[in-house]
Amino acid sequence: MSSLVPAPIASLPWRLLILLTCIASFGTVVLYSAAGGSLTPWAINQGARFCIFLAMALTLSRLPVSLFSKIALPGYACVLIALVLVELIGGVAGGSQRWINLGFMQLQPSEFMKPMIVLAVAQFYARLPVGELRRWAAIWPALTLIGFPAVLVLIQPDLGTSTMIVAGGVTVMFLAGLPLRLFIGSGLAVAAAIPVAFSFLHDYQQKRVLIFLDPESDPLGAGYHISQSKIAIGSGGIFGKGFLNGTQSHLDYLPEGHTDFVFATMAEEWGLVGGIALIVAFGLLFRWGIRVALRTQDKFSRLAAAGLTTTIFFYVAINTLMVMGLAPVVGIPLPFMSYGGSSMLTVMLCIGIIMAIDRDKKSPGSWT
Protein backbone atom coordinates (compact mmCIF):
# COMPACT_ATOMS: atom_id res chain seq x y z
CA MET A 1 0.00 0.00 0.00
CA SER A 2 2.86 2.35 0.82
CA SER A 3 4.02 2.10 -2.80
CA LEU A 4 0.70 3.56 -3.90
CA VAL A 5 1.37 6.77 -1.95
CA PRO A 6 3.56 9.30 -3.82
CA ALA A 7 6.95 9.77 -2.14
CA PRO A 8 6.48 13.54 -1.51
CA ILE A 9 3.22 12.78 0.35
CA ALA A 10 4.63 9.84 2.29
CA SER A 11 7.67 11.87 3.37
CA LEU A 12 5.64 14.61 5.05
CA PRO A 13 5.95 14.87 8.86
CA TRP A 14 2.43 13.60 9.42
CA ARG A 15 2.59 13.51 13.21
CA LEU A 16 3.53 17.18 13.30
CA LEU A 17 0.83 18.09 10.77
CA ILE A 18 -1.80 16.19 12.74
CA LEU A 19 -0.71 17.94 15.94
CA LEU A 20 -0.93 21.39 14.32
CA THR A 21 -4.31 20.55 12.80
CA CYS A 22 -5.65 19.40 16.18
CA ILE A 23 -4.55 22.64 17.90
CA ALA A 24 -5.92 24.82 15.10
CA SER A 25 -9.18 22.86 14.95
CA PHE A 26 -9.63 23.28 18.69
CA GLY A 27 -9.00 27.00 18.25
CA THR A 28 -11.66 27.15 15.54
CA VAL A 29 -14.14 25.37 17.84
CA VAL A 30 -13.42 27.89 20.63
CA LEU A 31 -13.90 30.80 18.21
CA TYR A 32 -17.17 29.23 17.02
CA SER A 33 -18.37 29.25 20.62
CA ALA A 34 -17.05 32.79 21.24
CA ALA A 35 -19.20 33.95 18.30
CA GLY A 36 -22.29 32.48 19.97
CA GLY A 37 -22.39 29.31 17.90
CA SER A 38 -21.72 30.93 14.53
CA LEU A 39 -19.09 30.15 11.92
CA THR A 40 -18.90 33.84 11.12
CA PRO A 41 -17.11 36.12 11.57
CA TRP A 42 -14.21 34.31 13.23
CA ALA A 43 -14.23 30.52 12.99
CA ILE A 44 -14.46 30.04 9.23
CA ASN A 45 -11.89 32.77 8.51
CA GLN A 46 -9.49 31.27 11.06
CA GLY A 47 -9.82 27.81 9.52
CA ALA A 48 -9.20 29.16 6.01
CA ARG A 49 -6.12 31.06 7.18
CA PHE A 50 -4.71 27.94 8.81
CA CYS A 51 -5.06 25.93 5.59
CA ILE A 52 -3.36 28.67 3.56
CA PHE A 53 -0.51 29.19 6.02
CA LEU A 54 0.00 25.43 6.46
CA ALA A 55 0.47 25.14 2.68
CA MET A 56 2.95 28.04 2.91
CA ALA A 57 4.87 26.27 5.69
CA LEU A 58 5.04 23.04 3.68
CA THR A 59 6.36 25.02 0.71
CA LEU A 60 9.05 26.59 2.91
CA SER A 61 9.99 23.14 4.20
CA ARG A 62 11.04 22.11 0.68
CA LEU A 63 13.58 24.94 0.40
CA PRO A 64 17.27 24.34 1.19
CA VAL A 65 18.50 25.62 4.56
CA SER A 66 21.38 27.35 2.77
CA LEU A 67 18.81 29.71 1.24
CA PHE A 68 17.57 30.82 4.67
CA SER A 69 21.18 31.34 5.73
CA LYS A 70 21.89 33.51 2.68
CA ILE A 71 18.80 35.69 3.03
CA ALA A 72 19.02 36.10 6.83
CA LEU A 73 20.88 39.41 6.89
CA PRO A 74 19.45 40.89 3.62
CA GLY A 75 15.96 39.89 4.78
CA TYR A 76 16.58 41.51 8.15
CA ALA A 77 17.66 44.71 6.39
CA CYS A 78 14.51 44.73 4.23
CA VAL A 79 12.21 44.32 7.24
CA LEU A 80 14.16 47.02 9.11
CA ILE A 81 13.63 49.41 6.20
CA ALA A 82 9.93 48.53 6.26
CA LEU A 83 9.82 49.42 9.97
CA VAL A 84 11.34 52.81 9.16
CA LEU A 85 8.71 53.28 6.45
CA VAL A 86 6.03 52.56 9.03
CA GLU A 87 7.25 55.60 10.97
CA LEU A 88 7.24 57.72 7.82
CA ILE A 89 4.10 56.66 5.95
CA GLY A 90 2.44 54.04 8.14
CA GLY A 91 -1.28 54.09 8.85
CA VAL A 92 -2.58 54.87 12.32
CA ALA A 93 -5.30 52.75 13.94
CA GLY A 94 -6.31 52.61 17.57
CA GLY A 95 -3.58 55.06 18.52
CA SER A 96 -0.84 52.86 17.06
CA GLN A 97 1.17 53.28 13.87
CA ARG A 98 2.07 49.72 12.85
CA TRP A 99 0.88 49.13 9.29
CA ILE A 100 1.79 49.99 5.70
CA ASN A 101 -1.17 50.20 3.35
CA LEU A 102 -0.38 48.22 0.20
CA GLY A 103 -3.83 48.75 -1.27
CA PHE A 104 -4.89 45.10 -1.24
CA MET A 105 -3.77 44.50 2.37
CA GLN A 106 -2.38 46.11 5.52
CA LEU A 107 1.22 44.94 6.05
CA GLN A 108 2.59 44.80 9.59
CA PRO A 109 6.40 44.53 9.19
CA SER A 110 7.02 44.02 12.93
CA GLU A 111 5.53 40.51 12.67
CA PHE A 112 8.17 39.50 10.10
CA MET A 113 10.94 40.81 12.36
CA LYS A 114 10.21 38.10 14.98
CA PRO A 115 11.61 35.25 12.85
CA MET A 116 14.06 37.48 10.96
CA ILE A 117 15.84 38.62 14.14
CA VAL A 118 16.42 34.98 15.04
CA LEU A 119 17.82 34.16 11.59
CA ALA A 120 19.99 37.30 11.50
CA VAL A 121 21.54 36.78 14.94
CA ALA A 122 21.98 33.05 14.21
CA GLN A 123 23.79 33.89 10.98
CA PHE A 124 26.07 36.34 12.79
CA TYR A 125 27.16 33.74 15.36
CA ALA A 126 27.42 31.00 12.72
CA ARG A 127 30.05 33.13 10.97
CA LEU A 128 31.84 34.12 14.17
CA PRO A 129 34.89 32.00 15.10
CA VAL A 130 34.48 30.15 18.39
CA GLY A 131 37.52 31.93 19.85
CA GLU A 132 35.81 35.31 19.45
CA LEU A 133 32.81 34.47 21.66
CA ARG A 134 34.31 35.98 24.80
CA ARG A 135 35.25 39.28 23.18
CA TRP A 136 33.29 42.50 22.89
CA ALA A 137 33.14 42.01 19.11
CA ALA A 138 30.82 39.04 19.74
CA ILE A 139 28.36 41.17 21.69
CA TRP A 140 27.83 44.64 20.27
CA PRO A 141 26.90 43.63 16.68
CA ALA A 142 24.18 41.29 17.98
CA LEU A 143 22.91 43.91 20.39
CA THR A 144 22.78 46.40 17.50
CA LEU A 145 20.83 43.94 15.35
CA ILE A 146 18.33 43.49 18.19
CA GLY A 147 18.22 47.10 19.38
CA PHE A 148 17.27 48.92 16.18
CA PRO A 149 14.06 47.00 15.40
CA ALA A 150 13.11 46.76 19.08
CA VAL A 151 13.22 50.55 19.46
CA LEU A 152 11.38 51.16 16.17
CA VAL A 153 8.58 48.79 17.24
CA LEU A 154 8.44 50.21 20.77
CA ILE A 155 7.72 53.71 19.49
CA GLN A 156 4.83 52.50 17.28
CA PRO A 157 3.93 51.76 20.18
CA ASP A 158 3.89 47.95 20.47
CA LEU A 159 5.45 46.80 23.73
CA GLY A 160 4.49 43.15 23.22
CA THR A 161 6.14 42.75 19.82
CA SER A 162 9.19 44.71 20.93
CA THR A 163 9.54 42.34 23.89
CA MET A 164 9.28 39.34 21.55
CA ILE A 165 12.00 40.71 19.27
CA VAL A 166 14.37 41.23 22.19
CA ALA A 167 13.54 37.83 23.68
CA GLY A 168 14.16 36.02 20.38
CA GLY A 169 17.47 37.73 19.71
CA VAL A 170 18.80 37.39 23.26
CA THR A 171 17.83 33.70 23.29
CA VAL A 172 20.02 33.07 20.25
CA MET A 173 22.87 34.98 21.93
CA PHE A 174 22.55 32.71 24.95
CA LEU A 175 22.40 29.54 22.84
CA ALA A 176 25.45 30.68 20.88
CA GLY A 177 27.53 30.15 24.02
CA LEU A 178 28.23 33.67 25.27
CA PRO A 179 29.53 33.75 28.87
CA LEU A 180 26.81 33.40 31.51
CA ARG A 181 28.19 36.37 33.43
CA LEU A 182 27.23 38.59 30.50
CA PHE A 183 23.54 37.71 30.94
CA ILE A 184 23.71 38.03 34.71
CA GLY A 185 25.33 41.45 34.41
CA SER A 186 22.88 42.51 31.71
CA GLY A 187 19.98 41.35 33.87
CA LEU A 188 21.19 43.47 36.77
CA ALA A 189 21.68 46.45 34.46
CA VAL A 190 18.16 46.05 33.06
CA ALA A 191 16.75 45.81 36.58
CA ALA A 192 18.53 49.03 37.51
CA ALA A 193 17.24 50.75 34.36
CA ILE A 194 13.60 49.73 34.84
CA PRO A 195 12.60 52.97 36.65
CA VAL A 196 14.11 55.05 33.85
CA ALA A 197 12.54 52.88 31.10
CA PHE A 198 9.18 53.03 32.87
CA SER A 199 9.14 56.80 32.56
CA PHE A 200 9.45 56.51 28.75
CA LEU A 201 6.42 54.22 28.40
CA HIS A 202 3.12 55.58 27.16
CA ASP A 203 0.46 56.23 29.77
CA TYR A 204 -1.56 53.16 28.82
CA GLN A 205 1.58 50.98 28.98
CA GLN A 206 2.46 52.33 32.44
CA LYS A 207 -1.11 51.62 33.55
CA ARG A 208 -0.82 48.04 32.32
CA VAL A 209 2.29 47.48 34.44
CA LEU A 210 0.73 49.09 37.53
CA ILE A 211 -2.47 47.10 37.10
CA PHE A 212 -0.40 43.91 36.80
CA LEU A 213 1.11 44.70 40.19
CA ASP A 214 -2.28 45.53 41.74
CA PRO A 215 -5.20 44.52 39.47
CA GLU A 216 -7.78 45.19 42.18
CA SER A 217 -6.88 48.88 42.36
CA ASP A 218 -9.09 49.62 39.33
CA PRO A 219 -11.35 46.57 38.75
CA LEU A 220 -13.82 48.47 36.54
CA GLY A 221 -11.20 50.42 34.59
CA ALA A 222 -7.68 49.38 33.61
CA GLY A 223 -7.90 46.19 35.68
CA TYR A 224 -11.16 45.04 34.09
CA HIS A 225 -9.57 42.73 31.50
CA ILE A 226 -7.51 40.82 34.07
CA SER A 227 -10.31 40.63 36.62
CA GLN A 228 -12.81 39.22 34.11
CA SER A 229 -10.22 36.84 32.69
CA LYS A 230 -9.53 35.40 36.14
CA ILE A 231 -13.26 35.03 36.78
CA ALA A 232 -13.72 33.18 33.47
CA ILE A 233 -10.81 30.80 34.09
CA GLY A 234 -11.78 30.16 37.71
CA SER A 235 -15.46 29.60 36.95
CA GLY A 236 -14.57 26.85 34.50
CA GLY A 237 -13.40 24.61 37.31
CA ILE A 238 -11.94 21.22 36.43
CA PHE A 239 -14.18 20.16 33.55
CA GLY A 240 -15.62 23.52 32.45
CA LYS A 241 -19.18 24.72 31.97
CA GLY A 242 -19.53 22.89 28.68
CA PHE A 243 -19.29 23.79 25.02
CA LEU A 244 -21.32 26.92 24.14
CA ASN A 245 -22.18 27.41 27.83
CA GLY A 246 -19.62 30.06 28.75
CA THR A 247 -21.16 33.14 30.32
CA GLN A 248 -18.24 35.56 30.61
CA SER A 249 -17.63 35.63 26.86
CA HIS A 250 -21.24 35.17 25.68
CA LEU A 251 -22.52 37.98 27.90
CA ASP A 252 -19.60 40.23 26.84
CA TYR A 253 -18.11 40.48 30.31
CA LEU A 254 -14.77 39.24 28.96
CA PRO A 255 -13.18 41.79 26.58
CA GLU A 256 -11.22 40.47 23.58
CA GLY A 257 -12.48 36.95 24.28
CA HIS A 258 -11.67 35.91 20.70
CA THR A 259 -8.17 37.44 20.50
CA ASP A 260 -5.80 38.12 23.40
CA PHE A 261 -8.03 36.48 26.03
CA VAL A 262 -9.16 33.46 24.02
CA PHE A 263 -7.48 31.15 26.56
CA ALA A 264 -9.91 32.43 29.21
CA THR A 265 -12.83 31.81 26.83
CA MET A 266 -11.59 28.26 26.31
CA ALA A 267 -10.90 27.60 30.01
CA GLU A 268 -14.40 28.67 31.05
CA GLU A 269 -16.03 26.08 28.79
CA TRP A 270 -13.39 23.33 28.83
CA GLY A 271 -12.00 23.81 32.32
CA LEU A 272 -8.65 22.79 33.74
CA VAL A 273 -8.71 19.61 31.64
CA GLY A 274 -8.98 21.59 28.41
CA GLY A 275 -6.26 24.02 29.50
CA ILE A 276 -3.84 21.23 30.39
CA ALA A 277 -4.57 19.37 27.14
CA LEU A 278 -3.83 22.52 25.14
CA ILE A 279 -0.58 23.19 27.01
CA VAL A 280 0.51 19.55 26.53
CA ALA A 281 -0.16 19.90 22.79
CA PHE A 282 2.01 23.00 22.63
CA GLY A 283 4.62 21.16 24.70
CA LEU A 284 4.78 18.44 22.03
CA LEU A 285 5.32 21.14 19.41
CA PHE A 286 8.19 22.65 21.44
CA ARG A 287 9.67 19.18 21.99
CA TRP A 288 9.73 18.61 18.25
CA GLY A 289 11.45 21.94 17.57
CA ILE A 290 14.12 21.45 20.23
CA ARG A 291 14.82 17.91 19.04
CA VAL A 292 15.32 19.24 15.51
CA ALA A 293 17.83 21.74 16.92
CA LEU A 294 19.67 19.05 18.88
CA ARG A 295 19.94 16.72 15.87
CA THR A 296 21.62 19.15 13.49
CA GLN A 297 25.37 19.71 13.49
CA ASP A 298 25.33 22.92 11.46
CA LYS A 299 25.64 25.92 13.79
CA PHE A 300 23.28 28.19 11.89
CA SER A 301 20.62 25.48 11.65
CA ARG A 302 20.95 24.63 15.34
CA LEU A 303 20.65 28.25 16.49
CA ALA A 304 17.84 29.01 14.04
CA ALA A 305 15.75 25.96 15.00
CA ALA A 306 16.18 26.56 18.72
CA GLY A 307 15.57 30.30 18.38
CA LEU A 308 12.43 29.90 16.26
CA THR A 309 11.08 27.28 18.66
CA THR A 310 11.58 29.60 21.62
CA THR A 311 9.86 32.39 19.65
CA ILE A 312 6.72 30.22 19.49
CA PHE A 313 7.23 29.34 23.16
CA PHE A 314 7.26 33.03 24.11
CA TYR A 315 3.93 33.49 22.34
CA VAL A 316 2.34 30.73 24.41
CA ALA A 317 4.07 31.53 27.71
CA ILE A 318 3.44 35.28 27.67
CA ASN A 319 -0.19 34.92 26.60
CA THR A 320 -1.10 32.29 29.19
CA LEU A 321 0.70 34.18 31.97
CA MET A 322 -0.99 37.38 30.83
CA VAL A 323 -4.56 36.03 30.93
CA MET A 324 -3.94 34.55 34.40
CA GLY A 325 -2.66 37.85 35.75
CA LEU A 326 0.92 36.62 36.11
CA ALA A 327 2.33 39.03 33.49
CA PRO A 328 1.34 42.50 32.25
CA VAL A 329 -1.17 42.68 29.39
CA VAL A 330 1.03 43.32 26.35
CA GLY A 331 -1.19 42.16 23.51
CA ILE A 332 0.49 38.84 22.66
CA PRO A 333 -1.96 36.41 20.97
CA LEU A 334 -2.13 32.65 21.56
CA PRO A 335 -0.92 30.77 18.45
CA PHE A 336 -3.66 29.00 16.42
CA MET A 337 -6.25 30.01 19.03
CA SER A 338 -6.47 33.81 18.94
CA TYR A 339 -8.33 35.21 15.95
CA GLY A 340 -6.08 37.02 13.50
CA GLY A 341 -3.73 36.35 10.63
CA SER A 342 -0.53 38.16 11.64
CA SER A 343 0.48 35.93 14.54
CA MET A 344 -0.50 32.74 12.70
CA LEU A 345 1.59 33.83 9.72
CA THR A 346 4.60 34.42 11.97
CA VAL A 347 4.25 31.10 13.76
CA MET A 348 3.83 29.17 10.51
CA LEU A 349 6.88 30.90 9.06
CA CYS A 350 8.83 29.65 12.08
CA ILE A 351 7.44 26.12 11.73
CA GLY A 352 8.13 26.04 7.98
CA ILE A 353 11.78 26.96 8.48
CA ILE A 354 12.19 24.42 11.28
CA MET A 355 10.66 21.76 9.02
CA ALA A 356 13.19 22.70 6.32
CA ILE A 357 16.02 22.25 8.83
CA ASP A 358 14.51 18.93 9.96
CA ARG A 359 14.20 17.70 6.38
CA ASP A 360 17.73 18.84 5.52
CA LYS A 361 19.42 17.05 8.41
CA LYS A 362 17.69 13.68 8.61
CA SER A 363 15.51 11.24 6.72
CA PRO A 364 12.25 12.88 5.63
CA GLY A 365 9.07 12.28 7.57
CA SER A 366 10.63 11.04 10.79
CA TRP A 367 9.04 12.45 13.95
CA THR A 368 11.66 11.33 16.41
Side-chain angles (χ1 to χ4, degrees):
M1 289 296 294
S2 60
S3 61
L4 299 178
V5 181
I9 302 298
S11 66
L12 292 175
W14 284 108
R15 293 185 185 179
L16 172 65
L17 299 182
I18 291 171
L19 175 64
L20 294 175
T21 302
C22 287
I23 298 174
S25 298
F26 185 42
T28 302
V29 169
V30 173
L31 291 175
Y32 173 82
S33 177
S38 173
L39 288 173
T40 55
W42 304 321
I44 193 168
N45 289 341
Q46 188 82 340
R49 285 184 181 128
F50 173 73
C51 293
I52 293 171
F53 292 148
L54 181 61
M56 177 202 69
L58 289 173
T59 301
L60 286 176
S61 72
R62 311 302 293 184
L63 300 177
V65 176
S66 59
L67 177 62
F68 297 112
S69 177
K70 291 177 182 178
I71 68 171
L73 293 176
Y76 166 88
C78 290
V79 178
L80 189 65
I81 292 171
L83 288 176
V84 174
L85 290 177
V86 168
E87 297 302 316
L88 298 177
I89 61 173
V92 179
S96 300
Q97 189 174 5
R98 304 175 185 175
W99 300 271
I100 298 176
N101 188 353
L102 300 180
F104 62 93
M105 68 172 291
Q106 295 283 344
L107 179 67
Q108 187 175 354
S110 58
E111 283 295 326
F112 293 98
M113 184 54 76
K114 294 174 185 176
M116 287 310 307
I117 190 64
V118 170
L119 297 181
V121 178
Q123 175 69 328
F124 168 71
Y125 284 111
R127 293 181 176 182
L128 192 72
V130 177
E132 299 290 322
L133 279 176
R134 295 184 176 273
R135 299 184 179 180
W136 177 241
I139 301 171
W140 72 263
L143 292 178
T144 302
L145 287 172
I146 298 168
F148 277 125
V151 170
L152 287 172
V153 173
L154 186 60
I155 63 180
Q156 289 182 355
D158 189 349
L159 179 60
T161 300
S162 180
T163 301
M164 290 280 291
I165 291 171
V166 173
V170 171
T171 297
V172 177
M173 292 179 68
F174 176 78
L175 296 173
L178 292 180
L180 184 60
R181 66 177 182 274
L182 167 67
F183 297 94
I184 295 176
S186 299
L188 295 175
V190 169
I194 285 177
V196 177
F198 182 80
S199 65
F200 284 96
L201 295 178
H202 291 259
D203 290 341
Y204 81 93
Q205 293 173 332
Q206 292 182 354
K207 188 171 291 186
R208 284 178 177 179
V209 176
L210 294 175
I211 288 300
F212 160 66
L213 298 174
D214 185 14
E216 305 304 324
S217 62
D218 190 9
L220 298 179
Y224 184 78
H225 289 67
I226 293 298
S227 298
Q228 296 301 319
S229 178
K230 287 181 177 179
I231 292 172
I233 294 173
S235 65
I238 296 178
F239 298 104
K241 295 178 178 178
F243 181 53
L244 295 175
N245 292 327
T247 55
Q248 290 297 110
S249 58
H250 292 173
L251 297 177
D252 293 331
Y253 288 114
L254 179 65
E256 306 298 335
H258 64 295
T259 53
D260 293 349
F261 288 87
V262 70
F263 185 87
T265 300
M266 179 279 300
E268 183 182 21
E269 296 190 355
W270 298 84
L272 179 64
V273 172
I276 291 176
L278 181 60
I279 292 173
V280 168
F282 279 120
L284 292 175
L285 177 61
F286 305 147
R287 173 181 176 267
W288 165 76
I290 294 301
R291 294 188 71 163
V292 170
L294 292 175
R295 273 195 297 261
T296 181
Q297 299 301 313
D298 175 65
K299 190 172 184 180
F300 170 79
S301 298
R302 184 170 65 253
L303 292 176
L308 294 172
T309 301
T310 53
T311 295
I312 304 173
F313 168 78
F314 285 132
Y315 268 107
V316 177
I318 294 175
N319 180 273
T320 52
L321 291 173
M322 181 181 76
V323 300
M324 290 186 285
L326 301 176
V329 177
V330 291
I332 298 295
L334 186 60
F336 306 113
M337 301 290 292
S338 297
Y339 179 74
S342 296
S343 62
M344 186 182 290
L345 171 61
T346 302
V347 171
M348 293 305 279
L349 282 173
C350 294
I351 290 174
I353 297 172
I354 299 172
M355 283 198 294
I357 294 171
D358 192 25
R359 179 175 171 271
D360 188 65
K361 299 303 176 183
K362 65 175 185 62
S363 59
S366 173
W367 172 260
T368 58

